[in-house]
């Protein structure tokens, strides 16, 4: 059973068109939810960690929020350089490893 | 900024051959990981390593796989007898503590022919 589910699988936006990506998780006793960005052929690059419901973090055009069952990555006025796959991850039950969702592939056209 | 270094960036091998993928984690990190990503699929956990021993492994990490930290700086993944389905991008990752962010290397693309 998937512990992390991301939606949508793919998202196409026009430059400047804001939207949100969703990550829902099923692990209990969450010890952090992590967002990463992955460019083609590269390793995941860390964006944010959220630890408690209600927490928000921002970086440039990205804002991540967390509730008890899901997290959102809001993208405001995206640019073509924001095109990438965005990955969500949570610790496994033992807390010894991060388990990743399948990701949302974002394409932003000018 | 410190980074995780992986070599080689590409490795081509024949089915049944042994391969060793190498990684130099960030120097003050204590937890080390291997993940893999088959083309178009998700990043999958293989194994975690702490205090010179495996702390957890996934069902993918069978007897054909092994990890080693031979000299206090390198961290290696060995695949004893490669199969076609081992073709994937292999990522090494490290972190300071269990609740801290993972830093990933740029990956080794393994192609098994």
């Amino acid at each position: 059973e998937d512990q992390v589910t991301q939606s949508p699988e793919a998202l196409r936006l026009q430059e400047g068109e804001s939207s949100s990506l969703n990550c829902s998780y099923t692990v209990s006793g969450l010890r952090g939810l992590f967002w990463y960005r992955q460019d083609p052929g590269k390793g995941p690059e860390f964006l944010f960690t959220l630890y408690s419901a209600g927490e928000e973090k921002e970086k440039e055009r990205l804002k991540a929020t967390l509730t008890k069952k899901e997290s959102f990555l809001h993208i405001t006025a995206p640019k073509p350089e924001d095109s990438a796959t965005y990955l969500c991850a949570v610790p496994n039950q033992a807390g010894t490893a991060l388990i990743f969702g399948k990701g949302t592939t974002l394409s932003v056209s000018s | 900024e410190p980074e995780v270094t992986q070599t080689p960036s590409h490795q081509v091998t024949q089915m049944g051959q042994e391969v060793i993928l190498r990684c130099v984690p960030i120097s003050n990190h204590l937890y080390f990981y291997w993940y893999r990503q088959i083309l178009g699929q998700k990043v999958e956990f293989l194994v975690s390593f702490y205090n010179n021993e495996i702390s957890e492994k996934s069902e993918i990490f069978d007897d054909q796989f092994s990890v080693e930290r031979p000299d206090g700086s390198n961290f290696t993944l060995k695949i004893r007898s490669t199969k076609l389905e081992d073709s994937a991008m292999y990522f090494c990752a490290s972190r300071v503590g269990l609740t801290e962010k993972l830093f990933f290397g740029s990956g080794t693309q393994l192609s098994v022919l």
Side-chain angles (χ1 to χ4, degrees), chain A residues 8-80:
Chain A
E9 285 186 16
L11 182 62
R12 290 183 173 275
L13 299 174
Q14 291 289 318
E15 185 171 4
E17 180 186 1
S18 301
S19 189
S20 296
L21 315 182
N22 178 264
C23 170
S24 61
Y25 57 90
T26 57
V27 292
S28 57
L30 186 69
R31 285 162 287 186
L33 184 139
F34 297 76
W35 281 99
Y36 282 81
R37 168 186 171 132
Q38 186 177 29
D39 292 302
K42 301 281 182 66
E45 179 186 339
F46 173 78
L47 292 173
F48 305 108
T49 311
L50 302 165
Y51 289 103
S52 55
E55 189 175 357
E56 297 183 354
K57 292 221 175 135
E58 286 189 67
K59 180 179 178 180
E60 296 182 0
R61 295 174 292 282
L62 300 176
K63 183 168 83 172
T65 61
L66 182 66
T67 70
K68 287 186 178 178
K69 287 295 178 190
E70 58 190 350
S71 177
F72 292 93
L73 185 65
H74 307 278
I75 303 176
T76 303
K79 298 183 177 183

Side-chain angles (χ1 to χ4, degrees), chain B residues 42-88:
Chain B
K42 70 176 182 178
V43 176
E44 298 177 290
F45 167 70
L46 292 179
V47 66
S48 58
F49 192 87
Y50 170 71
N51 201 24
N52 282 320
E53 60 183 22
I54 291 174
S55 49
E56 185 152 1
K57 56 185 180 180
S58 72
E59 57 191 28
I60 302 169
F61 194 89
D62 62 22
D63 292 344
Q64 295 300 312
F65 291 87
S66 62
V67 290
E68 208 174 39
R69 189 155 159 82
D71 57 13
S73 61
N74 291 285
F75 181 49
T76 62
L77 175 69
K78 182 194 291 186
I79 308 175
R80 215 176 323 277
S81 177
T82 49
K83 307 185 190 94
L84 295 176
E85 53 265 37
D86 293 328
S87 295

Side-chain angles (χ1 to χ4, degrees), chain A residues 81-104:
Chain A
E81 53 263 41
D82 295 321
S83 297
T85 296
Y86 291 86
L87 305 174
C88 171
V90 298
N92 60 1
Q93 282 300 132
T96 50
L98 285 187
I99 305 302
F100 284 82
K102 293 180 181 177
T104 294

